[in-house]
Amino acid sequence: MDLATAQLRADAARAEAAAEAADDYARLTPRQRSVRRVARMLLAAQPNMPVDKLDHEAVPLTTVMERLDVAQSTASEIRKEAMALLLSGYGHQDAAVDAAYEPEGRG
Protein backbone atom coordinates (compact mmCIF):
# COMPACT_ATOMS: atom_id res chain seq x y z
CA MET A 1 0.00 0.00 0.00
CA ASP A 2 2.81 2.45 0.87
CA LEU A 3 4.55 1.68 -2.41
CA ALA A 4 1.36 2.34 -4.39
CA THR A 5 0.85 5.63 -2.55
CA ALA A 6 4.43 6.67 -3.21
CA GLN A 7 4.03 5.79 -6.89
CA LEU A 8 0.84 7.87 -7.14
CA ARG A 9 2.60 10.83 -5.51
CA ALA A 10 5.55 10.49 -7.88
CA ASP A 11 3.21 10.33 -10.88
CA ALA A 12 1.37 13.43 -9.67
CA ALA A 13 4.66 15.29 -9.18
CA ARG A 14 5.79 14.36 -12.72
CA ALA A 15 2.47 15.47 -14.18
CA GLU A 16 2.64 18.81 -12.36
CA ALA A 17 6.23 19.34 -13.52
CA ALA A 18 5.13 18.63 -17.08
CA ALA A 19 2.28 21.10 -16.80
CA GLU A 20 4.63 23.74 -15.42
CA ALA A 21 6.96 23.17 -18.36
CA ALA A 22 4.03 23.67 -20.73
CA ASP A 23 3.19 26.90 -18.90
CA ASP A 24 6.80 28.01 -19.40
CA TYR A 25 6.55 27.19 -23.08
CA ALA A 26 3.31 29.17 -23.39
CA ARG A 27 4.93 32.14 -21.58
CA LEU A 28 2.05 32.54 -19.18
CA THR A 29 2.02 35.22 -16.51
CA PRO A 30 2.36 34.10 -12.89
CA ARG A 31 -1.38 34.69 -12.40
CA GLN A 32 -2.27 32.61 -15.47
CA ARG A 33 0.02 29.84 -14.20
CA SER A 34 -1.72 29.88 -10.83
CA VAL A 35 -5.15 29.73 -12.44
CA ARG A 36 -4.13 26.76 -14.60
CA ARG A 37 -2.55 25.02 -11.61
CA VAL A 38 -5.77 25.35 -9.61
CA ALA A 39 -7.78 24.21 -12.62
CA ARG A 40 -5.62 21.07 -12.76
CA MET A 41 -6.14 20.60 -9.02
CA LEU A 42 -9.91 20.78 -9.53
CA LEU A 43 -9.74 18.26 -12.35
CA ALA A 44 -7.57 15.91 -10.29
CA ALA A 45 -9.92 16.16 -7.31
CA GLN A 46 -12.87 15.08 -9.46
CA PRO A 47 -11.38 13.02 -12.31
CA ASN A 48 -14.59 11.42 -13.57
CA MET A 49 -16.79 14.49 -13.29
CA PRO A 50 -17.84 16.45 -16.39
CA VAL A 51 -16.32 19.94 -16.30
CA ASP A 52 -19.71 21.63 -16.05
CA LYS A 53 -20.50 19.57 -12.94
CA LEU A 54 -17.25 20.24 -11.04
CA ASP A 55 -17.60 21.50 -7.48
CA HIS A 56 -15.16 24.35 -6.82
CA GLU A 57 -15.13 23.43 -3.14
CA ALA A 58 -13.54 20.06 -3.95
CA VAL A 59 -10.29 21.97 -3.56
CA PRO A 60 -10.58 23.93 -0.32
CA LEU A 61 -9.36 27.53 -0.18
CA THR A 62 -6.85 26.50 2.47
CA THR A 63 -5.28 24.10 -0.03
CA VAL A 64 -5.09 26.81 -2.69
CA MET A 65 -3.61 29.21 -0.14
CA GLU A 66 -0.94 26.69 0.88
CA ARG A 67 -0.01 25.52 -2.63
CA LEU A 68 0.19 29.02 -4.10
CA ASP A 69 1.35 30.81 -0.94
CA VAL A 70 -1.36 33.46 -1.25
CA ALA A 71 -3.92 35.13 1.01
CA GLN A 72 -7.48 33.83 1.29
CA SER A 73 -8.97 36.58 -0.90
CA THR A 74 -6.44 35.89 -3.66
CA ALA A 75 -6.99 32.15 -3.37
CA SER A 76 -10.74 32.70 -3.74
CA GLU A 77 -10.26 34.86 -6.84
CA ILE A 78 -7.88 32.37 -8.44
CA ARG A 79 -10.21 29.45 -7.74
CA LYS A 80 -13.08 31.37 -9.37
CA GLU A 81 -10.87 32.14 -12.38
CA ALA A 82 -9.88 28.46 -12.56
CA MET A 83 -13.54 27.44 -12.67
CA ALA A 84 -14.17 30.02 -15.41
CA LEU A 85 -11.18 28.64 -17.34
CA LEU A 86 -12.56 25.12 -17.04
CA LEU A 87 -16.02 26.22 -18.13
CA SER A 88 -14.52 28.05 -21.12
CA GLY A 89 -13.06 24.81 -22.42
CA TYR A 90 -9.85 24.00 -20.53
CA GLY A 91 -10.25 20.42 -19.42
CA HIS A 92 -8.77 16.97 -19.01
CA GLN A 93 -7.41 16.93 -22.55
CA ASP A 94 -5.60 20.26 -22.08
CA ALA A 95 -4.03 19.00 -18.88
CA ALA A 96 -2.90 15.88 -20.78
CA VAL A 97 -1.41 18.02 -23.55
CA ASP A 98 0.47 20.00 -20.92
CA ALA A 99 2.04 16.71 -19.83
CA ALA A 100 3.73 16.38 -23.24
CA TYR A 101 6.23 19.02 -22.15
CA GLU A 102 7.68 17.02 -19.27
CA PRO A 103 11.29 18.16 -18.75
CA GLU A 104 14.11 15.68 -18.31
CA GLY A 105 15.34 15.16 -14.78
CA ARG A 106 12.40 16.80 -12.96
CA GLY A 107 9.89 15.11 -10.74
Side-chain angles (χ1 to χ4, degrees):
M1 185 79 131
D2 290 336
L3 181 59
T5 301
Q7 182 62 43
L8 286 174
R9 286 186 180 146
D11 290 346
R14 278 192 292 279
E16 186 60 31
E20 288 175 13
D23 291 349
D24 288 344
Y25 182 78
R27 297 185 180 179
L28 299 177
T29 67
R31 179 69 172 225
Q32 290 169 321
R33 291 169 188 255
S34 293
V35 169
R36 286 176 65 152
R37 184 172 184 193
V38 173
R40 290 189 299 268
M41 291 165 57
L42 287 163
L43 290 171
Q46 303 164 90
N48 298 318
M49 187 69 63
V51 171
D52 63 333
K53 303 288 188 208
L54 290 175
D55 178 9
H56 70 280
E57 292 185 11
V59 177
L61 281 181
T62 54
T63 301
V64 176
M65 292 166 60
E66 291 169 5
R67 298 266 177 90
L68 301 180
D69 193 26
V70 296
Q72 183 175 354
S73 59
T74 303
S76 178
E77 292 170 7
I78 289 173
R79 190 172 68 175
K80 285 178 189 172
E81 290 176 34
M83 283 300 300
L85 178 66
L86 290 167
L87 292 172
S88 72
Y90 185 88
H92 294 284
Q93 187 162 351
D94 297 298
V97 168
D98 288 348
Y101 294 90
E102 184 170 355
E104 294 295 321
R106 281 184 71 182

